[in-house]
Structure formats: structure tokens, C-alpha cells
Amino acid sequence: MTLRVLAIDDSRTMRNLLGATLRDAGYEVDLAEDGEDGLRHLESFHPDVVITDVNMPVMDGFGFIEAARSRQTDRVIPILVLTTETAPELKARARSAGATGWIVKPFDEEKLVWAIERVAASGGSA
């Protein structure tokens, strides 16, 4: 079964890079440009894993995670944060909101795929 990955980032360049990396890894990919757009795609795409940036206009990654977690009723979708931020308090905030993991940009393609496979296999509890 092909994993479905939703990637949310306000940078078109980053969305294109993520899309190419994830498609090359064999995933079915959907892209969104901010948290609010991500919520719309979450309902229509039904991803197995979500990757989200933190700093975005309209709705940031924290808002997306909180809203996504409040909507889920039948399963827990793993959510990986992919950001340039490294502050421990931001990591703690993301974890408190319901993030599954934290990856710092720029990302290593092999490590990103490994993280996706790991959280998908664990059902979001990694």
C-alpha cells in the first residue's frame, strides 16, 4: 500500500522540493501552502502522514496541529514538524499540541523518508 503524505509549507520552493523527494520515495503526495489550506487537504486527501512547517501565514503549524488533533476521531495521523526552528520551547509546544516528531531544515532526504516510514509504522506514537 502506498503511503499518502500531506506536506504543508508556505514556501513554494520547499513544497516543490518536498513533493519531488516524497514522490521519488514512492509516496502519494498532496501539498498545502499554510495551516488553513492544510486542514482542507487533510479532509479531502486522508493522508497517512503529515509534514508541516511551523512559521506560516494565515494559520501556523501549531494552529494546524491543534486543529487537526481536535478533528480526528477515528485514527491518529502522525504529524512531523519540518522547520528551521531549533528552540526547545518550540519543540515542547509542538509536542504538547500533538506533533509526533521534529525535523530541522534543511532536511536530509534519506532521514526524512526514514522518519516517515517510522512514524507511519508506529501509527503516530514514535
Side-chain angles (χ1 to χ4, degrees), residues 14-31:
M14 184 55 67
R15 286 195 308 273
N16 290 341
L17 180 60
L18 282 167
T21 298
L22 298 172
R23 285 183 190 101
D24 285 349
Y27 302 138
E28 187 174 341
V29 180
D30 195 11
L31 304 171

Side-chain angles (χ1 to χ4, degrees), residues 43-116:
E43 291 192 11
S44 62
F45 183 64
H46 305 289
D48 299 302
V49 176
V50 175
I51 300 170
T52 184
D53 190 10
V54 169
N55 298 315
M56 297 181 287
V58 183
M59 177 186 284
D60 67 15
F62 299 118
F64 168 80
I65 295 167
E66 292 166 352
R69 291 296 185 226
S70 71
R71 291 180 178 195
Q72 292 178 358
T73 56
D74 58 340
R75 66 184 179 126
V76 176
I77 300 170
I79 300 175
L80 295 171
V81 173
L82 180 63
T83 181
T84 57
E85 301 288 346
T86 59
E89 61 271 16
L90 294 178
K91 291 180 183 178
R93 182 176 172 199
R95 179 73 69 182
S96 177
T100 309
W102 186 279
I103 300 170
V104 176
K105 295 177 186 172
F107 65 89
D108 177 273
E109 294 177 8
E110 289 184 22
K111 289 180 181 176
L112 179 63
V113 170
W114 177 83
I116 290 169

